Structure formats: C-alpha cells, structure tokens
C-alpha cells in the first residue's frame, strides 16, 4: 500500500518533470525575439561602422608618373565615399589657381563602387598653366573631398609656384543667392543693397584662414568694378562654409547688373541682379516741374502788384466832388480849370436881327 502510494505520488511528480521543458521553451521565445530586435537595432550602426572603415584616407595611384601630350594614364583610387561621382583633371601650378589652371576639356568622370574604389583612364593634356602639375580628383556632389597626385607632363613648361596669400583652395559647392530687399529710401534713390551668400569648399590641403574675396558689380557691357572684402573665419581643408558678403550699388542705380565673386585670380560665381527704377525720384521731378512754374507766377504777380501806380488822395477827392450824372474831370485838368458845361460856343445875335 505504501509502495503503491509512493508510486501514485511519484506519477504526479513525473508529470511535473515532463512539463518543465515546455515552460523553458515558452520563456526562451520572448528572449529570442528580444535578441533579434536588438540585432536589428544594431545593424545600421554595424553597417555605418563598416562604411567608416571603408572610408579610410583617400588615396590616388597613377600608372605612370610622366607622359606626353596625346598619351594616357590610369588613375586608381581607394577610400572614397561609395557610389560617389568624381572628376579627374590634369592641372598646372599644383592647382593653386583652382580649376582655371586645369585642362577641363580633357577631364573625365567616374563613379566609385560600393567600397569607395575606382579605376579610370585619363588622357594626357597640357594644362593652361605651367608645371609642376598634378592629377586632381574631387567629388561633384555630396560631402566635398579631393586629392592630388604629382604628375609630369613631358614637354610642358615649368615655372615657380605663385604665392598663395590665404592658403587653401576654395571652390563653389552650391548656387549663389542674393538676399535682402529694397526699402523706401531705395525707391527715392538710395543705394541698393544686397547680401551675396555662397557655399564654398576647401579642396586644398591647408586651411583657408580669413580669405580675401573680390566682389565685382557690372552694368550692361561695362567691365566690373572690384572691391576687396575679407571674410572673417576659417575653412578647414576638406570642409565647407557659408560665406556672406555685402553688395552695394551707387545711388540711383537701376537696370540689369551682374555681381561676381573672385578669389585670387579665379572667378567663383556670377549672379545677375535686376534693380528696379527709383520711381520716387521721377515723382519728385514731376512735382518740382509743377511747383516751380506756379511759384514763379505768384512771385511775378506780387512784383507787378507792388510796382503798378497807386491812386493819390487828390485824385480820389476829385472823383468824390464829381456831380451825379455829370462827366468826370479829365485826368489832365483840375476841377478849377475844367471847362464849364454851361458855356455856350455860339455867337450872340445882333439886336434887331430876325
């Protein structure tokens, strides 16, 4: 009996032991879901870390260090942003003067692969500036980036490098904007004012500190008038910054103008500016043309009123003594000497005549 009881009591215990694994499975399912959610949350960070690992320093390799005009070289790069559009140029004077010193017509474009690498053939052309020359590679869109590799164009002249006043090489990354509006004073001929806003990037290897720009304004076919302005700030190498410079025209200016921005010998941007006519000045001259003749007429009438002869007291008295119905005395006679109206001019007849 006891043994049977023990067996009976053992059966429920065995049954309890058989249900334990299902409880562990029920607990493991939420834990697995939590781990999967955590892995999905960390996946973008891991991918970003992988991209940053591929980002590394940008490098360039040339198949040849020297070649003559008409030949070609192969440019290989690594460490660039994946799927980025790049331009490849051969430039003179180490590209100190910007793309104005490059053979832009013979440049090439290439898109990097998923790992930020590329390989492209580049024809050898003589740049407009003398050597030392470089192969310049720069991004076209997105975050700015650039790299140079020394290259010698056989037969191309060599000259010393010009001095770079402020360091860095600046290029425009976005279309310029003229911000601001004209006030009431501008409508009456005050100088029109605007603010030129340009986003520039430093594609050089050194920072550009307090760069000096030249702002030019041209009207019609006339040459621009340049004014140097120093922008306070620093554009680090490989970075970008927003530059804002004031632009002012002469008083009463109107018509079509062209605003230009130059850095060194390179014109960075040109922005048209249509300036409205100061109609307040025209209204002023119209009113002036109406007021001046009226004022002259009133002054003339006042002068005439002052210089014309006045009636004397004697003349007034003579006019008062004139009898009613009688004729007024002539101005060259006095009342005493005026001819009498009763005097007859007929001759008396002789006595006794019929």
């Amino acid at each position: 009996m006891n043994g049977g009881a023990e067996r009976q009591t053992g059966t429920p215990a065995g049954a309890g032991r058989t249900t334990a694994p299902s409880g562990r499975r029920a607990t493991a399912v939420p834990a697995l879901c939590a781990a999967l959610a955590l892995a999905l949350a960390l996946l973008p960070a891991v991918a970003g870390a992988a991209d940053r690992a591929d980002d590394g320093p940008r490098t360039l390799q040339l198949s040849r260090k020297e070649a003559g005009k008409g030949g070609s070289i192969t440019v290989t790069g690594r460490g660039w942003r994946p799927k980025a559009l790049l331009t490849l140029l051969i430039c003179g004077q180490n590209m100190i003067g910007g793309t104005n010193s490059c053979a832009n017509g013979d440049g090439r474009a290439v898109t990097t692969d998923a790992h930020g690498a590329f390989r492209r053939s580049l024809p050898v052309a003589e740049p407009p500036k003398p050597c030392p020359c470089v192969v310049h590679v720069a991004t076209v869109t997105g975050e700015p980036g650039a790299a140079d590799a020394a290259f010698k164009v056989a037969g191309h002249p060599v000259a010393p490098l010009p001095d770079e006043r402020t360091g860095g090489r600046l290029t425009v990354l976005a279309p310029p904007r003229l911000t601001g509006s004209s006030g009431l004073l501008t409508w009456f001929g005050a100088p029109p004012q605007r603010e030129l806003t340009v986003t520039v990037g430093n594609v050089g290897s050194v920072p550009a500190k307090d760069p000096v720009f030249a702002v030019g304004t041209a009207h019609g076919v006339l040459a621009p008038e340049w004014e140097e302005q120093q922008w306070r700030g620093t554009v680090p190498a490989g970075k970008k910054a927003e530059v804002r410079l004031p632009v002012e025209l002469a008083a009463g200016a109107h018509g079509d103008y062209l605003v230009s921005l130059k850095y060194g010998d390179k014109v960075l941007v040109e922005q048209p500016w249509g300036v409205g006519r100061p109609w307040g000045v025209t209204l002023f001259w119209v009113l002036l043309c109406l007021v001046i003749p009226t004022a002259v007429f009133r002054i003339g009438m006042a002068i005439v009123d002052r210089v014309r002869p006045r009636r004397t007291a004697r003349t007034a008295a003579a006019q008062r003594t004139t009898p009613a119905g009688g004729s007024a005395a002539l101005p060259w006679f006095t009342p005493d000497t005026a001819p009498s109206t009763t005097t007859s001019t007929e001759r008396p007849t002789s006595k006794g005549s019929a």
Side-chain angles (χ1 to χ4, degrees):
M1 295 281 302
N2 294 336
E6 290 176 0
R7 284 194 298 271
Q8 289 178 359
T9 57
T11 301
R17 285 192 299 268
T18 57
T19 57
S22 62
R24 286 193 297 270
R25 285 195 298 270
T27 307
V29 171
L32 181 60
C33 293
L36 183 59
L38 181 61
L40 292 176
L42 293 177
L43 185 59
V46 174
D51 290 342
R52 287 191 296 270
D54 290 341
D55 262 353
R58 291 182 288 267
T59 61
L60 292 180
Q61 291 183 355
L62 307 180
S63 59
R64 289 189 292 175
K65 296 295 184 182
E66 180 180 353
K69 180 182 178 181
S72 63
I73 58 175
T74 302
V75 183
T76 305
R78 297 185 182 278
W80 297 80
R81 192 174 64 252
K83 302 299 181 181
L85 180 61
L86 310 177
T87 56
L88 290 73
L89 299 171
I90 295 180
C91 307
Q93 290 187 336
N94 285 352
M95 204 190 163
I96 289 180
T99 55
N100 289 339
S101 60
C102 302
N104 298 302
D106 297 293
R108 293 293 184 269
V110 65
T111 303
T112 60
D113 58 19
H115 302 287
F118 70 90
R119 182 182 178 88
R120 187 71 163 88
S121 177
L122 179 65
V124 178
E126 293 186 351
K129 300 292 184 178
C131 285
C133 300
V134 294
V135 173
H136 178 74
V137 180
T139 56
V140 178
T141 58
E143 189 70 20
D148 298 334
F151 179 73
K152 183 177 181 181
V153 180
H156 194 61
V158 180
L161 293 176
D163 294 333
E164 198 170 5
R165 292 185 298 173
T166 58
R169 295 197 295 269
L170 301 182
T171 185
V172 176
L173 304 178
R177 306 188 309 274
L178 280 174
T179 57
S181 60
S182 300
L184 181 61
L185 293 180
T186 305
W187 201 67
F188 284 95
Q193 296 178 349
R194 290 293 188 275
E195 190 175 59
L196 180 64
T197 303
V198 181
T199 301
V200 299
N202 187 359
V203 298
S205 57
V206 295
K209 183 178 181 181
D210 297 337
V212 177
F213 297 93
V215 179
T217 54
H219 182 47
V221 297
L222 301 177
E225 297 180 0
W226 298 98
E227 178 186 1
E228 287 193 348
Q229 297 187 23
Q230 187 173 23
W231 182 73
R232 297 294 181 181
T234 301
V235 185
K239 301 295 183 180
K240 63 181 179 180
E242 188 177 71
V243 176
R244 296 184 178 183
L245 299 171
V247 183
E248 182 175 318
L249 302 179
H254 63 277
D256 295 329
Y257 282 81
L258 186 66
V259 180
S260 305
L261 182 67
K262 184 168 65 173
Y263 178 68
D265 296 330
K266 175 184 176 183
V267 177
L268 298 180
V269 295
E270 291 181 339
Q271 177 69 17
W273 181 10
V275 184
R277 182 181 294 274
W279 291 108
V281 178
T282 306
L283 179 62
F284 170 78
W285 284 109
V286 170
L287 294 177
L288 195 64
C289 291
L290 295 177
V291 169
I292 288 181
T294 304
V296 171
F297 175 77
R298 293 180 67 89
I299 293 173
M301 294 301 297
I303 295 175
V304 170
D305 186 64
R306 282 183 172 275
V307 300
R308 70 179 180 178
R310 301 285 183 178
R311 292 190 308 171
T312 62
R314 188 173 183 180
T315 304
Q319 290 180 352
R320 285 196 298 270
T321 58
T322 302
S327 60
L330 296 178
W332 52 85
F333 289 103
T334 63
D336 299 333
T337 60
S340 173
T341 57
T342 59
T343 304
S344 176
T345 57
E346 294 181 357
R347 291 182 179 182
T349 56
S350 59
K351 187 174 182 180
S353 61

XYZ file of all heavy atoms in Angstrom, residues 141-210:
496
model
N 29.228 65.831 -56.091
C 28.052 66.029 -55.255
C 28.329 65.492 -53.858
O 29.255 64.715 -53.642
C 26.839 65.305 -55.850
O 27.137 63.901 -55.981
C 26.486 65.855 -57.214
N 27.489 65.898 -52.920
C 27.620 65.403 -51.556
C 28.741 66.101 -50.805
O 29.160 67.212 -51.132
N 29.230 65.421 -49.775
C 30.306 65.973 -48.949
C 31.556 66.198 -49.791
O 32.000 65.309 -50.512
C 30.618 65.016 -47.800
C 31.562 65.589 -46.759
C 30.930 66.685 -45.923
O 29.685 66.746 -45.886
O 31.679 67.480 -45.321
N 32.157 67.413 -49.761
C 33.315 67.675 -50.613
C 34.523 66.855 -50.185
O 34.749 66.613 -49.005
C 33.563 69.176 -50.435
C 32.971 69.498 -49.109
C 31.790 68.586 -48.948
N 35.285 66.446 -51.150
C 36.521 65.709 -50.906
C 37.399 65.797 -52.137
O 36.900 65.853 -53.274
N 38.699 65.827 -51.950
C 39.627 65.955 -53.075
C 40.975 65.362 -52.693
O 41.300 65.225 -51.507
C 39.785 67.419 -53.492
N 41.738 65.025 -53.709
C 43.106 64.511 -53.521
C 43.887 64.797 -54.785
O 43.322 64.858 -55.891
C 43.087 63.019 -53.199
N 45.204 64.991 -54.626
C 46.096 65.279 -55.750
C 47.227 64.267 -55.773
O 47.663 63.769 -54.730
C 46.673 66.696 -55.640
C 45.592 67.769 -55.687
O 44.532 67.491 -56.275
O 45.812 68.853 -55.141
N 47.704 63.991 -56.984
C 48.870 63.125 -57.180
C 49.806 63.818 -58.152
O 49.367 64.297 -59.215
C 48.450 61.756 -57.700
N 51.072 63.919 -57.792
C 52.052 64.600 -58.633
C 52.187 63.884 -59.974
O 52.228 62.655 -60.048
C 53.397 64.662 -57.917
N 52.263 64.691 -61.033
C 52.383 64.140 -62.387
C 53.147 65.139 -63.246
O 52.991 66.359 -63.093
C 50.997 63.871 -62.982
C 51.034 63.325 -64.377
C 51.435 62.020 -64.606
C 50.677 64.121 -65.454
C 51.466 61.512 -65.899
C 50.710 63.621 -66.732
C 51.110 62.314 -66.959
N 53.975 64.622 -64.153
C 54.784 65.469 -65.021
C 54.324 65.291 -66.456
O 54.296 64.168 -66.971
C 56.264 65.112 -64.901
C 57.174 66.022 -65.731
C 58.636 65.690 -65.523
C 59.533 66.613 -66.343
N 60.967 66.282 -66.161
N 53.942 66.425 -67.083
C 53.558 66.422 -68.491
C 54.827 66.683 -69.303
O 55.385 67.788 -69.242
C 52.479 67.469 -68.785
C 52.089 67.443 -70.256
C 51.256 67.218 -67.915
N 55.285 65.682 -70.015
C 56.536 65.795 -70.764
C 56.418 66.893 -71.821
O 55.433 66.956 -72.563
C 56.874 64.464 -71.421
N 57.423 67.770 -71.864
C 57.448 68.845 -72.842
C 56.684 70.078 -72.430
O 56.721 71.098 -73.136
N 55.999 70.045 -71.303
C 55.245 71.216 -70.852
C 56.163 72.114 -70.020
O 56.984 71.615 -69.232
C 54.048 70.776 -70.022
C 53.043 71.863 -69.806
N 52.360 72.494 -70.822
C 52.586 72.445 -68.653
C 51.542 73.387 -70.327
N 51.658 73.389 -69.017
N 56.067 73.444 -70.167
C 56.968 74.332 -69.417
C 56.748 74.221 -67.911
O 55.679 73.879 -67.433
C 56.607 75.723 -69.934
C 55.246 75.591 -70.523
C 55.160 74.208 -71.052
N 57.830 74.557 -67.178
C 57.809 74.520 -65.714
C 58.136 75.920 -65.207
O 59.029 76.586 -65.735
C 58.803 73.489 -65.169
C 58.772 73.466 -63.640
C 58.502 72.107 -65.721
N 57.418 76.377 -64.177
C 57.624 77.709 -63.610
C 57.456 77.627 -62.102
O 56.795 76.721 -61.587
C 56.640 78.717 -64.207
N 58.069 78.565 -61.356
C 57.902 78.561 -59.889
C 56.440 78.752 -59.512
O 55.666 79.384 -60.226
C 58.764 79.739 -59.427
C 59.718 79.986 -60.547
C 59.005 79.616 -61.801
N 56.085 78.225 -58.376
C 54.714 78.331 -57.893
C 54.442 79.743 -57.396
O 55.292 80.355 -56.747
C 54.458 77.330 -56.763
C 54.478 75.850 -57.154
C 54.313 74.993 -55.915
C 53.382 75.546 -58.148
N 53.264 80.284 -57.677
C 52.920 81.607 -57.131
C 52.619 81.504 -55.651
O 52.283 80.438 -55.129
C 51.665 81.999 -57.931
C 51.051 80.690 -58.307
C 52.200 79.733 -58.509
N 52.736 82.644 -54.983
C 52.423 82.680 -53.552
C 50.925 82.572 -53.353
O 50.123 83.182 -54.081
C 52.926 83.993 -52.916
C 54.454 84.063 -52.952
O 55.077 82.984 -52.959
O 54.992 85.179 -52.986
N 50.542 81.807 -52.365
C 49.136 81.648 -52.003
C 48.894 82.458 -50.732
O 49.390 82.132 -49.662
C 48.830 80.168 -51.767
C 47.359 79.838 -51.801
C 47.134 78.337 -51.798
O 48.099 77.579 -51.673
O 45.971 77.937 -51.915
N 48.128 83.552 -50.873
C 48.035 84.524 -49.788
C 47.369 83.958 -48.537
O 47.855 84.118 -47.447
C 47.254 85.754 -50.278
C 47.972 86.567 -51.314
C 47.200 87.809 -51.638
N 45.898 87.488 -52.190
C 44.959 88.396 -52.438
N 45.177 89.659 -52.178
N 43.793 88.031 -52.931
N 46.232 83.332 -48.715
C 45.472 82.921 -47.539
C 45.461 81.418 -47.337
O 44.849 80.939 -46.401
C 44.017 83.411 -47.663
O 43.451 82.864 -48.871
C 43.944 84.920 -47.730
N 46.123 80.671 -48.199
C 46.121 79.217 -48.058
C 44.812 78.626 -48.512
O 43.793 79.283 -48.607
N 44.834 77.345 -48.781
C 43.622 76.657 -49.184
C 43.240 76.957 -50.623
O 43.732 77.895 -51.243
N 42.388 76.122 -51.157
C 41.851 76.310 -52.495
C 40.342 76.196 -52.381
O 39.805 75.142 -52.032
C 42.418 75.266 -53.461
C 43.913 75.401 -53.690
C 44.342 74.656 -54.931
N 44.162 73.220 -54.798
C 45.087 72.390 -54.350
N 46.260 72.877 -53.960
N 44.863 71.098 -54.273
N 39.662 77.285 -52.657
C 38.220 77.354 -52.459
C 37.493 77.171 -53.783
O 37.934 77.684 -54.817
C 37.825 78.692 -51.840
C 38.454 79.016 -50.479
C 37.944 80.351 -49.969
C 38.171 77.918 -49.471
N 36.403 76.437 -53.719
C 35.538 76.235 -54.869
C 34.085 76.337 -54.416
O 33.781 76.145 -53.232
C 35.793 74.873 -55.531
O 35.012 74.780 -56.723
C 35.438 73.734 -54.598
N 33.204 76.649 -55.334
C 31.785 76.840 -55.008
C 31.078 75.492 -55.066
O 31.242 74.723 -56.017
C 31.139 77.840 -55.978
C 29.647 77.973 -55.713
C 31.806 79.195 -55.841
N 30.262 75.213 -54.034
C 29.547 73.950 -53.934
C 28.057 74.083 -54.186
O 27.378 73.067 -54.381
C 29.767 73.325 -52.546
C 31.220 73.086 -52.139
C 31.279 72.516 -50.744
C 31.920 72.167 -53.135
N 27.498 75.287 -54.164
C 26.056 75.493 -54.341
C 25.827 76.804 -55.079
O 26.688 77.692 -55.044
C 25.338 75.506 -52.985
N 24.702 76.925 -55.773
C 24.416 78.177 -56.484
C 24.369 79.367 -55.522
O 23.904 79.249 -54.394
C 23.039 77.929 -57.112
C 22.899 76.450 -57.175
C 23.650 75.915 -55.986
N 24.866 80.524 -55.962
C 24.859 81.712 -55.085
C 23.451 82.271 -54.942
O 22.544 81.990 -55.735
C 25.781 82.686 -55.825
C 25.647 82.302 -57.258
C 25.457 80.808 -57.271
N 23.271 83.110 -53.901
C 21.982 83.752 -53.637
C 22.224 85.205 -53.249
O 23.182 85.507 -52.538
C 21.215 83.051 -52.514
C 21.009 81.577 -52.714
C 20.074 80.990 -51.655
N 20.469 81.335 -50.303
C 21.359 80.649 -49.588
N 21.957 79.601 -50.126
N 21.659 81.005 -48.349
N 21.334 86.054 -53.735
C 21.321 87.465 -53.328
C 20.116 87.656 -52.415
O 18.966 87.565 -52.856
C 21.227 88.388 -54.538
C 22.522 88.654 -55.306
C 22.233 89.465 -56.553
C 23.548 89.357 -54.439
N 20.372 87.893 -51.144
C 19.305 88.015 -50.162
C 19.140 89.477 -49.761
O 20.060 90.286 -49.887
C 19.606 87.174 -48.909
O 20.870 87.588 -48.352
C 19.697 85.700 -49.269
N 17.950 89.807 -49.265
C 17.647 91.174 -48.869
C 16.597 91.780 -49.788
O 16.201 91.188 -50.800
N 16.135 92.962 -49.451
C 15.118 93.659 -50.235
C 15.363 95.157 -50.156
O 16.089 95.645 -49.287
C 13.710 93.320 -49.724
O 13.575 93.702 -48.366
N 14.733 95.868 -51.090
C 14.879 97.324 -51.151
C 13.860 97.983 -50.233
O 12.719 97.536 -50.126
C 14.684 97.814 -52.588
O 15.647 97.232 -53.442
N 14.263 99.051 -49.573
C 13.385 99.795 -48.684
C 12.812 101.030 -49.354
O 12.983 101.271 -50.558
N 12.133 101.837 -48.558
C 11.504 103.053 -49.073
C 12.543 104.055 -49.560
O 12.336 104.740 -50.565
C 10.630 103.676 -47.980
C 9.868 104.944 -48.362
C 8.903 104.655 -49.504
C 9.129 105.512 -47.164
N 13.689 104.126 -48.862
C 14.723 105.078 -49.277
C 15.297 104.721 -50.635
O 15.666 105.604 -51.417
C 15.833 105.125 -48.216
C 15.435 105.706 -46.850
C 16.619 105.685 -45.895
C 14.897 107.125 -46.985
N 15.397 103.407 -50.938
C 15.884 102.993 -52.252
C 14.929 103.452 -53.345
O 15.344 103.781 -54.460
C 16.052 101.467 -52.284
O 16.902 101.077 -51.206
C 16.670 101.005 -53.586
N 13.629 103.499 -53.047
C 12.644 103.972 -54.014
C 12.842 105.445 -54.341
O 12.446 105.908 -55.404
C 11.246 103.746 -53.453
C 10.175 103.711 -54.482
C 9.988 102.776 -55.453
C 9.122 104.676 -54.645
N 8.889 103.078 -56.208
C 8.327 104.252 -55.740
C 8.770 105.840 -53.979
C 7.222 104.941 -56.176
C 7.658 106.540 -54.409
C 6.895 106.105 -55.499
N 13.494 106.152 -53.417
C 13.787 107.565 -53.637
C 15.257 107.803 -53.991
O 15.748 108.922 -53.863
C 13.409 108.390 -52.407
C 11.931 108.618 -52.268
C 11.154 107.797 -51.479
C 11.314 109.656 -52.948
C 9.789 108.010 -51.349
C 9.947 109.874 -52.833
C 9.179 109.042 -52.032
N 15.962 106.757 -54.440
C 17.310 106.940 -54.970
C 18.435 106.531 -54.058
O 19.606 106.736 -54.408
N 18.157 105.944 -52.881
C 19.240 105.493 -52.000
C 19.964 104.302 -52.645
O 19.398 103.596 -53.479
C 18.682 105.093 -50.637
N 21.232 104.046 -52.298
C 21.989 102.944 -52.912
C 21.335 101.590 -52.645
O 21.078 101.234 -51.491
C 23.365 103.033 -52.230
C 23.465 104.437 -51.747
C 22.079 104.840 -51.378
N 21.036 100.791 -53.683
C 20.501 99.435 -53.475
C 21.541 98.542 -52.797
O 22.733 98.597 -53.128
C 20.188 98.946 -54.892
C 20.164 100.187 -55.737
C 21.115 101.141 -55.100
N 21.095 97.714 -51.845
C 21.988 96.840 -51.090
C 21.434 95.424 -51.069
O 20.227 95.211 -50.989
C 22.154 97.353 -49.657
C 22.819 98.711 -49.555
C 22.930 99.195 -48.124
O 22.345 98.614 -47.214
N 23.675 100.272 -47.908
N 22.337 94.452 -51.141
C 22.006 93.046 -51.030
C 23.139 92.337 -50.285
O 24.184 92.936 -49.987
C 21.820 92.397 -52.410
C 20.583 92.834 -53.156
C 19.315 92.379 -52.507
N 18.148 92.651 -53.331
C 17.502 93.792 -53.354
N 17.920 94.784 -52.580
N 16.439 93.959 -54.113
N 22.938 91.046 -49.993
C 23.959 90.218 -49.357
C 24.174 88.981 -50.224
O 23.240 88.223 -50.472
C 23.537 89.816 -47.942
C 24.657 89.166 -47.150
C 24.251 88.883 -45.713
O 23.268 88.143 -45.517
O 24.901 89.401 -44.787
N 25.398 88.801 -50.693
C 25.747 87.657 -51.534
C 26.120 86.482 -50.638
O 27.058 86.564 -49.855
C 26.911 88.014 -52.459
C 27.388 86.908 -53.405
C 26.287 86.532 -54.389
C 28.642 87.370 -54.165
N 25.369 85.378 -50.772
C 25.588 84.183 -49.959
C 26.084 83.064 -50.863
O 25.420 82.715 -51.852
C 24.298 83.759 -49.253
O 23.817 84.852 -48.462
C 24.537 82.561 -48.358
N 27.251 82.506 -50.520
C 27.877 81.455 -51.324
C 28.389 80.368 -50.390
O 28.986 80.662 -49.346
C 29.045 82.015 -52.171
C 29.665 80.917 -53.022
C 28.577 83.155 -53.052
N 28.146 79.114 -50.751
C 28.702 77.973 -50.016
C 29.965 77.515 -50.727
O 29.915 77.108 -51.894
C 27.691 76.816 -49.941
O 26.503 77.282 -49.301
C 28.261 75.655 -49.150
N 31.099 77.614 -50.048
C 32.391 77.264 -50.635
C 32.976 76.070 -49.899
O 32.685 75.832 -48.721
C 33.372 78.455 -50.585
C 32.842 79.635 -51.382
C 33.641 78.888 -49.150
N 33.785 75.319 -50.605
C 34.504 74.192 -50.023
C 35.994 74.336 -50.256
O 36.432 74.867 -51.290
N 36.780 73.913 -49.294
C 38.234 73.980 -49.388
C 38.750 72.643 -49.900
O 38.751 71.641 -49.183
C 38.838 74.315 -48.023
C 40.336 74.555 -48.095
O 40.957 74.458 -49.160
N 40.933 74.878 -46.954
N 39.188 72.621 -51.154
C 39.704 71.394 -51.758
C 41.219 71.306 -51.661
O 41.822 70.409 -52.245
C 39.254 71.293 -53.231
C 37.752 71.217 -53.332
C 39.786 72.482 -54.038
N 41.822 72.227 -50.923
C 43.264 72.193 -50.735
C 43.650 71.353 -49.536
O 42.830 70.741 -48.858
N 44.946 71.336 -49.284
C 45.471 70.538 -48.169
C 45.739 71.363 -46.922
O 46.119 70.819 -45.888
C 46.770 69.842 -48.599
O 47.729 70.796 -49.037
N 45.556 72.678 -47.001
C 45.771 73.558 -45.841
C 44.512 74.376 -45.627
O 43.751 74.642 -46.572
C 46.985 74.490 -46.058
C 48.274 73.685 -46.138
C 46.806 75.328 -47.309
N 44.219 74.795 -44.406
C 43.015 75.591 -44.156
C 43.124 76.993 -44.743
O 44.208 77.559 -44.856
C 42.914 75.619 -42.634
C 44.315 75.386 -42.152
C 44.952 74.485 -43.158
N 41.982 77.535 -45.137
C 41.901 78.905 -45.642
C 41.413 79.796 -44.501
O 40.253 79.731 -44.113
C 40.958 78.979 -46.836
N 42.318 80.611 -43.969
C 42.008 81.461 -42.811
C 41.811 82.894 -43.256
O 42.659 83.483 -43.916
C 43.136 81.382 -41.789
C 42.859 82.171 -40.521
C 43.990 82.029 -39.507
C 43.699 82.804 -38.240
N 44.804 82.683 -37.256
N 40.663 83.460 -42.881
C 40.304 84.842 -43.219
C 40.568 85.138 -44.698
O 41.337 86.038 -45.047
C 41.071 85.835 -42.352
C 40.724 85.703 -40.878
O 39.623 85.189 -40.569
O 41.556 86.083 -40.030
